Amino acid sequence: MDISIVGTGYVGLPAGTGLASKGHDVTCIDIDQEKVDKINSGECPIYEEDLPELLEKMVSEDKLRATTNTEEAIRDSDITFLAVGTPMKDDGDINLDYIKQATKDAAHGIKNKDSYHVFVVKSTVVPTTTEEEIIPILEEVSGKKVGKDFGVCMNPEFLREGTALNDFLEPDRIVIGELDEKSGETLEKVYEGFEAPIMRTSLKAAELIKYASNSLLATKISFINEIGNMCKELGIDVYEVADGIGMDSRIERSFLDSGAGFGGSCFPKDVRALINFMEKNNVDPKITESTIEVNEKQKTRLVDLLEEHYPSLENKTVAILGLAFKPGTDDIRQSPAIDIISELKQKGADVKAYDPEAIQNMKERHPDIEYTESYQKAIENSNAALIVTDWAEFNQISRKDLKSMDEALIIEGRKIRHKLDDGITKGINWP
Ligand code: UGA
């Protein structure tokens, strides 16, 4: 099929490249000319596992291209995916500005088309947005009738940053929210080569499935962190408890890794948006609110543990190992490291920080701390090191590294499980 995708970010580009590899003809649309030029020269503008190689191949085989001309791309395609961002506003609601502008641009394309077109919302939007915000714009600007001249679907994504391409190509399920049968049938054809169950549902159920999925995963993390805090008191290892719980197939082991709390551009934003949406609909969001509350406290629990060792942090040198919200990315959005550094600075500590990918981004947030080129340099002469992101290289912390510290204290906010007898290694939620 001829497919156009609006937005070449962490969702649009892996999806577009994945669809091209399944035999579709894909045109990616972006307002950023530089990004468009990069893609057309076979260069991948974002950091994602396996994406650069496949993107280059698809561009060279002329299965994938990019443009800034929305109207033309829509006119020449059968179906359009909307994959632009929905960032969080200060009040926790989602910002629909990009969605609305991109929808208007797309509607101009639909206006100039003679044949039936399907518009698919892939961006994360709260329930009823497609029906109440997006469809009215499409109808008004195109002058055409939804359900007759064009169809609409809501097709949420479940991609993780870093492994988005593989998550796209091998999904657990494909959710198709449809305005009507014809819209859903058309979208289902796009996924013909995928080996995943396809669920057809309403537009607003699809929208809610996305929020409920992310919120439940976030809740699993907060729950295991709460259990972990209990484990710490009892002197037992929360990872053993998680393994024991996770052997129950009804519960499952994933997303039960306790640590310094969840971050990223999705969980914190989506849980907050769901809370706001529930409140607006007179539903008391007790569990989802607690998920955020537990997470907020969890983020600086590492500092609490540090203070058990050093009642005053004044002039203590603390190394932060890991700044990204998870390994495999340079993304620091909502990363626990941001709050941990603020708290340490406020308590008078000198902070040294290291991350293999995310230093540049953190410098914009915390320009006034010292950044080092290796973890060894960060922990050298420090009074303690806090592991905030579980980058594999931190497994290599050696006895020699410990000897270089003023005091050999390491507190793991992510379980690295290295055992060094001549230093003190504490876990956030394990002995
Ligand atoms: C998440 C979801 O996993 C995706 O399914 C979803 O599509 C995406 O949000 C989105 O809405 O776009 P992502 O934010 O990329 O993906 O990252 P995850 O790998 O899910 O990790 C999120 C956070 O939870 C990280 O800070 C991670 O360290 C933390 N985490 C994860 C834990 O603390 N414990 C765990 O067991 C798992």
Side-chain angles (χ1 to χ4, degrees):
M1 275 171 104
D2 291 329
I3 296 173
S4 50
I5 301 189
V6 189
T8 59
Y10 286 100
V11 175
L13 205 53
T17 309
L19 288 172
S21 76
K22 294 280 186 185
H24 297 293
D25 192 82
V26 179
T27 303
C28 293
I29 305 163
D30 206 291
I31 48 172
D32 184 340
Q33 184 69 51
E34 210 179 305
K35 253 181 150 186
V36 163
D37 292 343
K38 260 193 174 171
I39 295 167
N40 285 333
S41 64
E43 220 183 301
C44 184
I46 56 170
Y47 180 79
E48 275 294 329
E49 201 176 273
D50 299 334
L51 189 60
E53 299 79 12
L54 192 60
L55 182 127
E56 193 187 3
K57 186 164 182 275
M58 291 302 110
V59 172
S60 70
E61 289 174 8
D62 198 26
K63 300 293 292 170
L64 177 83
R65 69 210 58 82
T67 179
T68 53
N69 191 333
T70 311
E71 263 187 72
E72 212 173 86
I74 288 182
R75 201 192 52 215
D76 297 341
S77 58
D78 311 304
I79 189 161
T80 300
F81 287 85
L82 178 69
V84 297
T86 48
M88 183 165 67
K89 293 196 291 189
D90 289 343
D91 63 3
D93 276 352
I94 52 168
N95 179 348
L96 288 179
D97 291 353
Y98 302 119
I99 293 267
K100 286 182 178 168
Q101 189 53 51
T103 304
K104 268 184 208 154
D105 296 344
H108 282 292
I110 294 174
K111 183 180 181 178
N112 298 326
K113 257 196 89 166
D114 298 330
S115 53
Y116 180 78
H117 196 84
V118 174
F119 188 78
V120 183
V121 179
K122 219 174 204 333
S123 304
T124 300
V125 291
V126 294
T128 70
T129 305
T130 303
E131 271 163 273
E132 291 175 10
E133 307 270 357
I134 295 176
I135 291 177
I137 296 175
L138 289 171
E139 284 194 309
E140 197 190 314
V141 178
S142 70
K144 295 195 168 179
K145 187 87 197 99
V146 73
K148 180 175 153 277
D149 305 316
F150 68 95
V152 172
C153 287
M154 200 284 146
N155 176 216
E157 56 83 14
F158 304 102
L159 318 177
R160 283 163 302 173
E161 210 177 301
T163 54
L165 176 65
N166 293 314
D167 287 347
F168 181 80
L169 291 171
E170 282 166 31
D172 288 337
R173 78 301 205 187
I174 293 163
V175 176
I176 297 180
E178 61 195 35
L179 171 91
D180 53 16
E181 214 181 317
K182 191 174 174 188
S183 308
E185 295 284 294
T186 311
L187 179 54
E188 197 167 337
K189 280 200 199 101
V190 170
Y191 289 112
E192 244 161 28
F194 287 70
E195 278 171 38
I198 294 185
M199 180 195 181
R200 303 258 299 259
T201 184
S202 66
L203 294 171
K204 53 190 173 195
E207 290 165 328
L208 186 56
I209 286 168
K210 167 69 189 187
Y211 277 97
S213 297
N214 270 5
S215 299
L216 184 56
L217 290 171
T219 300
K220 267 184 108 173
I221 299 170
S222 277
F223 178 78
I224 200 66
N225 282 337
E226 195 166 90
I227 294 292
N229 296 345
M230 187 70 248
C231 288
K232 185 84 185 162
E233 294 303 312
L234 295 171
I236 55 179
D237 183 347
V238 63
Y239 274 66
E240 263 183 44
V241 176
D243 290 345
I245 307 170
M247 284 161 121
D248 187 325
S249 59
R250 294 167 303 174
I251 298 175
E252 222 263 301
R253 174 62 178 82
S254 62
F255 283 77
L256 288 177
D257 287 339
S258 181
F262 59 78
S265 63
C266 306
F267 284 175
K269 163 178 91 81
D270 292 352
V271 179
R272 282 208 172 86
L274 184 61
I275 290 170
N276 282 10
F277 185 73
M278 282 179 168
E279 280 172 345
K280 281 182 194 146
N281 285 280
N282 302 318
V283 175
D284 186 7
K286 270 200 165 54
I287 294 176
T288 21
E289 253 173 0
S290 309
T291 296
I292 290 285
E293 261 171 52
V294 170
N295 196 56
E296 284 307 304
K297 284 198 198 122
Q298 195 69 17
K299 286 199 231 169
T300 48
R301 202 173 135 75
L302 278 179
V303 182
D304 300 342
L305 292 174
L306 184 60
E307 283 179 311
E308 281 178 15
H309 199 84
Y310 298 119
S312 165
L313 293 176
E314 198 77 45
N315 298 325
K316 291 277 181 267
T317 303
V318 183
I320 302 294
L321 306 186
L323 302 168
F325 84 96
K326 65 175 186 180
T329 175
D330 63 354
D331 195 342
I332 61 152
R333 281 177 289 178
Q334 305 286 324
S335 170
I338 297 174
D339 290 10
I340 291 171
I341 295 172
S342 301
E343 182 102 350
L344 288 171
K345 283 199 309 197
Q346 196 234 322
K347 296 194 163 177
D350 296 323
V351 181
K352 291 205 270 178
Y354 166 75
D355 188 286
E357 300 289 342
I359 287 181
Q360 221 33 52
N361 287 334
M362 191 59 90
K363 271 187 181 165
E364 284 167 29
R365 215 39 207 264
H366 284 296
D368 52 348
I369 60 167
E370 186 187 336
Y371 292 92
T372 63
E373 64 199 17
S374 65
Y375 76 78
Q376 288 92 339
K377 286 257 177 275
I379 63 180
E380 199 176 85
N381 300 328
S382 63
N383 298 102
L386 309 183
I387 297 176
V388 184
T389 317
D390 43 345
W391 287 102
E393 64 182 274
F394 299 149
N395 276 308
Q396 292 156 19
I397 296 175
S398 66
R399 205 154 271 145
K400 190 169 146 237
D401 296 326
L402 288 184
K403 285 211 175 92
S404 77
M405 296 177 79
D406 269 10
E407 276 170 87
L409 170 63
I410 295 193
I411 306 183
E412 294 185 352
R414 306 282 173 191
K415 190 148 193 176
I416 302 288
R417 292 167 194 264
H418 63 75
K419 293 238 181 310
L420 293 168
D421 300 335
D422 40 3
I424 309 169
T425 308
K426 288 185 181 186
I428 184 169
N429 279 336
W430 46 94

